[in-house]
Amino acid sequence: MKLQQLRYIWEVAHHEMNVSATAQSLFTSQPGISKQIRMLEDELGVEIFARNGKHLTRVTPAGEAILKEAGEILHKAEGIKSIAQEFKNPSKGSLSIATTHTQARYALPPVIKTFIERYPDVSLHMHQGTPMQISELAANFGVDFAIATEALELFSDLIMMPCYRWNRAILVPRDHPLASVSKLSVEDVAAHPIVTYVFGFTGRSKLDDAFIQRGLEPKVVFTATDADVIKTYVRLGLGIGIVAQMAYDPEVDSDLVALDASHLFEASVTKVGFRRGTYMRKFMYDFVELFAPHLTPELVDQAYQCHSKADLEALFAPIELPTL
């Protein structure tokens, strides 16, 4: 069994059984990959992939179990490389992050700017997606860190650490009737068409819970994953916007009024997480601390030692999270 063979089966499984696409991504030949997969299956005495003629069609039950172990082995191999690189050149390497548009657009820019100034030789890669896509990237070793707020149950395999609290704002044009309301109620909001996030994005569940608790059914006429898109449709008069408070820029969005909604909806907590077994290089600790200053290397190491969600919650319970 060779490490290269494990990488081949892992990559084929994550290229939807497309050996040709896998070969292109790995800069090797299709026959070479097929041959190595067959050799590994012969050595193990089981089929990893089911076939229809020469085409791979699906992962077998045995293959599922083997791929899970292969992923862990490949992750460990990358960890060994990281350890060597840390001793060879602690300020050089790569860092990959998966997060949502709101985090990438509004929360992360100053962090990224400072990080790049501090580590010019670290290649930084950001992936934007849904909570489901973010969790899959993290679970499949596609990224080093996942930053998310919603659907945190998808991240059960990760060590998730709280970063900050945030709430929402109601955005309306300056001539809108709600612009003159001193203190909004949920009933005020429910009386108008709503433009907001797709369910599963940026605290959407907290928003929906507030309406359900009052027996109200909001008229959501348009949803998007991008706060800037939501603001565009508010400007078109499609409805009132409900976005993360951080997504409102008084200068850029001066044609809109941002109404405080923190008393209407429960605050949300954004978390950053990484896979257990990840070798944390110094620049990785620094990135986390830049994003959430209370997450010192010592506290991150303590979180790593926690073996359950309850332990993690107990560790962070005494900490007063900042509000963004």
Side-chain angles (χ1 to χ4, degrees), residues 20-132:
S20 178
T22 303
Q24 290 180 359
S25 71
L26 296 177
F27 303 101
T28 188
S29 69
Q30 181 176 340
I33 290 180
S34 298
K35 179 181 178 182
Q36 289 298 322
I37 291 175
R38 273 297 191 190
M39 288 175 65
L40 178 60
E41 289 177 324
D42 289 343
E43 179 182 347
L44 297 176
V46 295
E47 283 193 337
I48 297 169
F49 300 105
R51 294 166 172 79
N52 183 3
K54 293 184 178 180
H55 299 286
L56 306 184
T57 57
R58 61 180 176 81
V59 179
T60 65
E64 292 282 359
I66 291 168
L67 282 166
K68 183 178 179 180
E69 293 299 319
E72 295 290 345
I73 292 169
L74 293 170
H75 184 52
K76 290 291 185 183
E78 289 300 316
I80 292 171
K81 291 180 183 178
S82 294
I83 292 170
Q85 188 65 40
E86 183 69 21
F87 282 91
K88 182 180 176 182
N89 191 338
S91 299
K92 187 174 183 179
S94 66
L95 179 64
S96 55
I97 305 150
T99 190
T100 62
H101 168 269
T102 299
Q103 300 296 326
R105 170 70 177 81
Y106 299 103
L108 282 167
V111 175
I112 299 296
K113 183 177 184 294
T114 302
F115 182 84
I116 290 175
E117 289 172 352
R118 188 177 296 180
Y119 293 101
D121 293 327
V122 173
S123 177
L124 194 58
H125 308 279
M126 187 181 295
H127 305 263
Q128 293 180 51
T130 65
M132 177 68 78

Side-chain angles (χ1 to χ4, degrees), residues 1-2 18 36 40 46 49 75 96-97 100 136 141 150 162 174 187 193 197 209-210 218 245 247 253 269 286 315 318:
M1 186 187 307
K2 301 175 183 176
N18 190 323
Q36 289 298 322
L40 178 60
V46 295
F49 300 105
H75 184 52
S96 55
I97 305 150
T100 62
E136 286 178 352
F141 312 98
E150 286 295 286
R174 291 197 169 274
E187 287 75 13
Y197 298 107
D209 288 346
Q245 208 162 36
D253 303 318
V269 176
D286 282 357
L315 174 65

Side-chain angles (χ1 to χ4, degrees), residues 17-267:
M17 314 302 138
N18 190 323
V19 180
S20 178
T22 303
Q24 290 180 359
S25 71
L26 296 177
F27 303 101
T28 188
S29 69
Q30 181 176 340
I33 290 180
S34 298
K35 179 181 178 182
Q36 289 298 322
I37 291 175
R38 273 297 191 190
M39 288 175 65
L40 178 60
E41 289 177 324
D42 289 343
E43 179 182 347
L44 297 176
V46 295
E47 283 193 337
I48 297 169
F49 300 105
R51 294 166 172 79
N52 183 3
K54 293 184 178 180
H55 299 286
L56 306 184
T57 57
R58 61 180 176 81
V59 179
T60 65
E64 292 282 359
I66 291 168
L67 282 166
K68 183 178 179 180
E69 293 299 319
E72 295 290 345
I73 292 169
L74 293 170
H75 184 52
K76 290 291 185 183
E78 289 300 316
I80 292 171
K81 291 180 183 178
S82 294
I83 292 170
Q85 188 65 40
E86 183 69 21
F87 282 91
K88 182 180 176 182
N89 191 338
S91 299
K92 187 174 183 179
S94 66
L95 179 64
S96 55
I97 305 150
T99 190
T100 62
H101 168 269
T102 299
Q103 300 296 326
R105 170 70 177 81
Y106 299 103
L108 282 167
V111 175
I112 299 296
K113 183 177 184 294
T114 302
F115 182 84
I116 290 175
E117 289 172 352
R118 188 177 296 180
Y119 293 101
D121 293 327
V122 173
S123 177
L124 194 58
H125 308 279
M126 187 181 295
H127 305 263
Q128 293 180 51
T130 65
M132 177 68 78
Q133 291 167 334
I134 295 167
S135 68
E136 286 178 352
L137 279 168
N140 294 328
F141 312 98
V143 294
D144 298 304
F145 291 125
I147 299 174
T149 303
E150 286 295 286
L152 292 175
E153 68 278 0
L154 297 173
F155 301 86
S156 58
D157 291 339
L158 304 186
I159 299 169
M160 298 297 291
M161 304 173 293
C163 301
Y164 61 86
R165 297 182 185 277
W166 60 269
N167 216 305
R168 296 141 194 82
I170 309 295
L171 302 184
V172 297
R174 291 197 169 274
D175 60 354
H176 193 278
L178 288 184
S180 59
V181 177
S182 59
K183 188 173 183 180
L184 291 175
S185 67
V186 175
E187 287 75 13
D188 291 330
V189 177
H192 296 271
I194 294 171
V195 182
T196 191
Y197 298 107
V198 174
F199 187 81
F201 262 85
T202 316
R204 171 68 190 272
S205 64
K206 303 289 187 185
L207 186 156
D208 294 329
D209 288 346
F211 291 109
I212 292 170
Q213 288 171 10
R214 289 165 176 79
L216 299 171
E217 187 172 347
K219 186 181 179 183
V220 178
V221 296
F222 181 85
T223 62
T225 61
D226 184 328
D228 293 328
V229 172
I230 291 170
K231 287 185 279 187
T232 295
Y233 285 90
V234 171
R235 291 184 173 103
L236 290 175
L238 201 63
I240 64 174
I242 305 181
V243 299
Q245 208 162 36
M246 72 184 89
Y248 176 75
D249 186 322
E251 293 184 8
V252 177
D253 303 318
S254 59
D255 58 326
L256 300 175
V257 176
L259 305 170
D260 179 41
S262 59
H263 61 290
L264 303 180
F265 309 113
E266 185 183 345

